[in-house]
Amino acid sequence: MPDAALTLGELAGQVRSKNAGPFWITMDVLFRSEPDYTFVTTSGVLSPQAIGRLYDVDPATVKYFELRGILAVKISFPRPVTAGSFGDRDLHGGQQFVPLAALRLPAPPGHHQDASR
Amino acid sequence: MSTQPTSEPGVGVIFPSGMLGGGFTAESIKRGIAMGATAIAIDGGSTDSGPYYLGAGVAKTAASAVERDLRILLSAAREAQIPLIVGSCGTAGTDTGVDWVAEIAVRIAAEDRLSFRMARVYSELDPATVIAAIEAGRVRSLPPLGDLDPDTVRSCSHVVALMGHDPIVAALEAGAEVVLAGRATDTSMVAAVALMHGLPAGPTWHAAKTVECGGQCTTNPTAGGVHVRIDGTGFTVTPLSPDAACTPTSVAAHMLYENADPFRLLEPTGTLDTSAATYTAIDERTVRVEGSGFLLSSHPTAKLEGARLGGYETISLVGIRDPHILASLETWLRYLLSVLEDRVRATLDLDPQHYELALQCYGANAVLGPLEDSTGDAREIGLLFKVRAPSQQTATAIARTANPLLLHLPLPGMDHLPSFAFATSPAEIERGPSYEFVLNHVLDLERGTDLFRIDLSEVANA
């Protein structure tokens, strides 16, 4: 569990995005430890609704998986613009993880403002 | 180095790299042969790099890079007398892509005095074939696309079907020693080798998915490919490079890679289910996987890919460093669009619905667009100005109309004309035809070999 309020990208070992075929984008959050994984997956910050707000997509189209066995969360949703079409900004979808990584996590319970990492 | 004795049951497949032409060493292939490989498989394509390669029917990889890799593989395969299978030849797997790789293979064989039976397995479809299948109710959409309109099929410059293992097995059973396949699933080549030896589908498809990007399932993806041994209860995967390791995490995590669902993978003959799979380290660089399942479909399917011409593009790149403009960039961009639309209407008699514009500000929000929430003024931006129109001539005429604005447009109310920094002369760069993927559908088959055409030939160099 983190000592202070962090972003998801600061806490996780890796946050990454990539196309899953030209019509879907998929994102993986890979955690370093079981407590970090549990802290995030029980905090309520990650959900299809949260992803819908973050990426301006319909939450009903968001696939969300919690993978305790490998301490990962996987999120997939249809690409608003098909890969490589006119107007696509990211052919391989490799930079779209940034808003997810910037997601601010709640302060852990018992955290004090002067706590240092 | 941990090597497997060749007497072990099952099949061993070398997967040297994620892409033919991506590069690997001859030594890495020798190590794979020493591990007891019974086949070499490699992927020659993907849709990852966008619709151009399918739309135009040309390869992404350089011919010299394909020739270099293919020379190593042909030599190793013939020396060990094991089959070589190349999937998705020529990037998009069009018929021209298969013939392109075949020409390179024949040239290498003549130079290196190699002889083999070669199968070309074609997967390009005539639009009429697809339209007949739509009318017969045998085409289904995959989300997020809807029902397939015959006009969409007619609009495609090329349509390919993704083959599964069946056409590759048919080619191998016909005695092919080198199989050059059109568009094929990433997993089909490895699966063909295992399934034709009667090995179970669960371990087979999971092994094939694990190695489909070469070293991506290892701790050092740039170090080279992998060897996988598939047997009656599971599979064992080992990197070819001594500088890489397979760990239970690196192997399990690969099911996440470029895959929308972490446990299930749809294949032409059914669905791989890895939810009960176990990953065990055999030694510090070898992983054993067991417990993978495969649910056979009632009938095989073939996923369709098609790209259509969307128009012709012309682009310009202009640098903006002027702090006054950067401080009011959104205002300037809106002003640019409004002045440009007026000028295009006045000089070319074209309304905005007759062309498309995209203004991407590198340094500001080009990559994330409206999702960008980082604030603060950029030091400089590169404005990529893109226009697409029904003809190259029109696209370039619009870009030329934009040229004086991209050079000099002031902010409203400025008392002088600024000049911005074009990157090139001429500023307009003609990009040629611009394609887009429009198919995400599957076609129901009776047999997995339907739709696919096998052409056998003897390459003889005594």
Side-chain angles (χ1 to χ4, degrees):
Chain A
M1 196 190 301
D3 298 328
L6 297 172
T7 64
L8 184 58
E10 287 166 339
L11 178 70
Q14 194 185 354
V15 182
R16 66 187 186 188
S17 61
K18 197 86 192 280
N19 293 346
F23 298 94
W24 285 79
I25 192 142
T26 189
M27 304 192 185
D28 303 326
V29 185
L30 308 175
F31 292 95
R32 293 182 231 262
S33 73
E34 176 97 34
D36 286 354
Y37 169 88
T38 303
F39 172 67
V40 171
T41 53
T42 57
S43 71
V45 293
L46 289 180
S47 65
Q49 289 70 27
I51 297 302
R53 283 192 299 275
L54 204 53
Y55 286 95
D56 195 20
V57 294
D58 178 0
T61 65
V62 175
K63 297 184 186 185
Y64 175 83
F65 304 92
E66 294 181 353
L67 308 162
R68 175 169 292 277
I70 53 170
L71 302 179
V73 169
K74 187 169 189 63
I75 295 153
S76 305
F77 54 86
R79 263 177 156 268
V81 179
T82 304
S85 289
F86 189 80
D88 181 25
R89 298 170 173 279
D90 186 355
L91 178 58
H92 294 79
Q95 291 293 298
Q96 301 306 304
F97 71 92
V98 171
L100 180 62
L103 195 63
R104 195 149 286 285
L105 301 174
H111 163 67
H112 300 291
Q113 286 299 320
D114 58 350
S116 59
R117 275 171 61 78
Chain B
M1 187 174 70
S2 104
T3 55
Q4 316 269 334
T6 52
S7 58
E8 264 193 28
V11 300
V13 185
I14 297 170
F15 213 88
S17 160
M19 173 83 75
L20 182 71
F24 47 79
T25 63
E27 289 67 38
S28 72
I29 307 305
K30 287 201 181 85
R31 281 193 287 270
I33 301 277
M35 291 177 195
T38 50
I40 302 174
I42 191 163
D43 196 357
S46 156
T47 56
D48 289 355
S49 297
Y52 176 77
Y53 307 99
L54 178 57
V58 299
K60 176 195 172 187
T61 34
S64 54
V66 168
E67 181 174 332
R68 180 203 168 273
D69 284 3
L70 204 51
R71 188 181 300 276
I72 293 171
L73 298 181
L74 282 172
S75 159
R78 293 326 307 137
E79 191 183 325
Q81 299 197 7
I82 58 177
L84 168 65
I85 306 164
V86 183
S88 299
C89 286
T91 306
T94 57
D95 290 359
T96 53
V98 174
D99 290 340
W100 181 70
V101 176
E103 281 164 25
I104 295 171
V106 167
R107 192 168 65 237
I108 293 168
E111 288 167 4
D112 295 357
R113 315 305 298 167
L114 301 173
S115 299
F116 46 84
R117 180 175 287 186
M118 180 170 75
R120 283 180 269 202
V121 188
Y122 294 109
S123 64
E124 193 160 343
L125 299 183
D126 191 307
T129 305
V130 181
I131 291 165
I134 295 172
E135 286 164 354
R138 292 195 292 118
V139 174
R140 291 174 290 122
S141 66
L142 297 174
L145 297 197
D147 286 346
L148 185 52
D149 184 331
D151 282 342
T152 304
V153 179
R154 287 186 198 102
S155 74
C156 291
S157 52
H158 294 278
V159 175
V160 291
L162 273 84
M163 71 182 80
H165 67 284
D166 284 317
I168 297 170
V169 168
L172 291 170
E173 287 178 347
E177 295 159 307
V178 174
V179 179
L180 304 178
R183 190 70 174 117
T185 69
D186 294 348
T187 47
S188 59
M189 296 86 76
V190 171
V193 175
L195 294 176
M196 76 181 284
H197 284 88
L199 292 167
T204 292
W205 289 105
H206 194 180
K209 167 62 187 171
T210 299
V211 301
E212 49 110 15
C213 286
Q216 187 77 36
C217 65
T218 73
T219 55
N220 189 358
T222 57
V226 290
H227 175 268
V228 65
R229 173 156 293 279
I230 307 166
D231 57 46
T233 54
F235 67 92
T236 306
V237 58
T238 314
L240 297 175
S241 164
D243 301 326
C246 286
T247 66
T249 304
S250 75
V251 172
H254 192 68
M255 266 308 281
L256 300 182
Y257 190 70
E258 293 179 339
N259 193 16
D261 186 314
F263 295 125
R264 274 169 292 273
L265 190 67
L266 198 61
E267 290 291 341
T269 52
T271 305
L272 168 66
D273 181 353
T274 65
S275 56
T278 58
Y279 302 83
T280 312
I282 291 196
D283 57 36
E284 67 281 2
R285 44 196 306 276
T286 304
V287 169
R288 171 81 181 163
V289 182
E290 296 188 349
S292 325
F294 190 82
L295 185 66
L296 202 64
S297 305
S298 58
H299 58 269
T301 57
K303 188 166 177 248
L304 303 176
E305 291 171 352
R308 76 172 168 212
L309 182 68
Y312 293 80
E313 283 183 35
T314 301
I315 63 173
S316 296
L317 178 61
V318 64
I320 301 177
R321 181 65 180 80
D322 184 333
H324 297 103
I325 303 291
L326 294 174
S328 303
L329 187 60
E330 285 302 318
T331 306
W332 185 83
L333 289 169
R334 275 196 301 275
Y335 187 45
L336 170 65
L337 277 176
S338 105
V339 175
L340 178 60
E341 285 181 4
D342 289 347
R343 291 216 179 160
V344 170
R345 194 179 285 113
T347 57
L348 303 173
D349 197 24
L350 289 173
D351 286 322
Q353 66 265 30
H354 295 120
Y355 58 92
E356 296 161 274
L357 295 177
L359 275 61
Q360 292 172 212
C361 290
Y362 286 89
N365 66 349
V367 175
L368 293 180
L371 301 178
E372 181 59 68
D373 74 344
S374 201
T375 51
D377 295 332
R379 186 176 64 204
E380 66 178 29
I381 64 146
L383 169 58
L384 183 65
F385 174 88
K386 296 167 72 176
V387 54
R388 184 163 77 162
S391 74
Q392 188 75 68
Q393 193 183 9
T394 302
T396 299
I398 294 167
R400 285 182 180 158
T401 305
N403 181 299
L405 305 176
L406 296 174
L407 177 60
H408 284 313
L409 185 76
L411 277 166
M414 262 174 85
D415 59 3
H416 66 281
L417 282 186
S419 297
F420 303 113
F422 273 123
T424 58
S425 168
E428 295 75 34
I429 302 166
E430 293 192 336
R431 288 239 310 110
S434 157
Y435 296 91
E436 51 208 14
F437 286 120
V438 290
L439 301 186
N440 195 39
H441 298 79
V442 292
L443 202 159
D444 293 325
L445 305 176
E446 287 173 26
R447 290 172 303 276
T449 49
D450 291 352
L451 301 178
F452 304 100
R453 295 156 283 136
I454 298 176
D455 177 275
L456 287 170
S457 57
E458 301 295 338
V459 178
N461 296 287

